[in-house]
Amino acid sequence: MKEYKYKINGMKFTVAVGDIADNEVTVEVNGVPYKVELDRKAPQKPALSQSGYTNNGNNTAQPTTKPSPVKIDRGNAEAVKSPLPGTVQSITVKVGDTVRTGDKVGVLEAMKMENDIRTTREGVVKEILVSVGDTVLEGTDLIIIE
């Protein structure tokens, strides 16, 4: 099984996708197995979507009908965002560090290539929202700079 780790609206999800047999695949979300039936026209490798999920209180993720983005007021702070989907390989700053525009703050692996993550402004690192090994989507907030 291939394992992916996601953080959606602050909630962490571990998703394991098994091999496709005929048009079925076993998918585990936070340890809960699901049998997923695919359309016959589906590709032979499963793809995870950006669909939203909610936690129903018993540690099982349930799909929502429509993901609702969470807007957090951070004042004059600005997020360093993931430029593409990938896996966080390293974070080279810590909370309280002063950074300048263009400084390298981490590395993201995407399609077997390492991509430097750089700041878009000067400031102080206020918050680090991801950990090494996290899988992120394009546009995910990684680090907050104030």
Side-chain angles (χ1 to χ4, degrees):
M1 288 188 125
K2 179 74 174 163
E3 187 172 287
Y4 302 89
K5 293 186 180 193
Y6 292 96
K7 187 184 246 184
I8 303 172
N9 293 336
M11 293 175 44
K12 291 185 178 184
F13 294 91
T14 300
V15 180
V17 181
D19 293 329
I20 297 174
D22 292 323
N23 68 331
E24 287 188 355
V25 63
T26 300
V27 177
E28 282 187 16
V29 179
N30 289 346
V32 179
Y34 296 92
K35 285 275 186 202
V36 178
E37 187 175 329
L38 304 172
D39 285 343
R40 294 263 179 216
K41 298 176 187 175
Q44 289 303 305
K45 292 206 176 208
L48 297 176
S49 71
Q50 294 182 21
S51 299
Y53 285 85
T54 58
N55 190 325
N56 65 9
N58 62 3
N59 291 332
T60 60
Q62 300 297 319
T64 60
T65 54
K66 184 169 149 186
S68 56
V70 176
K71 182 82 171 160
I72 299 172
D73 181 17
R74 291 193 168 103
N76 69 344
E78 186 176 302
V80 176
K81 296 183 180 293
S82 173
L84 63 169
T87 304
V88 178
Q89 294 298 305
S90 68
I91 302 292
T92 58
V93 293
K94 60 186 181 304
V95 174
D97 284 357
T98 301
V99 294
R100 293 181 293 181
T101 303
D103 281 357
K104 178 179 170 181
V105 293
V107 175
L108 183 77
E109 180 188 320
M111 298 182 287
K112 302 203 185 266
M113 296 195 57
E114 291 186 353
N115 300 277
D116 290 346
I117 305 300
R118 299 195 176 271
T119 61
T120 53
R121 65 173 281 190
E122 291 184 0
V124 176
V125 176
K126 179 180 177 183
E127 192 175 357
I128 298 173
L129 304 172
V130 294
S131 300
V132 171
D134 285 355
T135 301
V136 296
L137 299 173
E138 180 178 355
T140 301
D141 292 352
L142 304 174
I143 297 172
I144 304 300
I145 297 174
E146 186 171 58

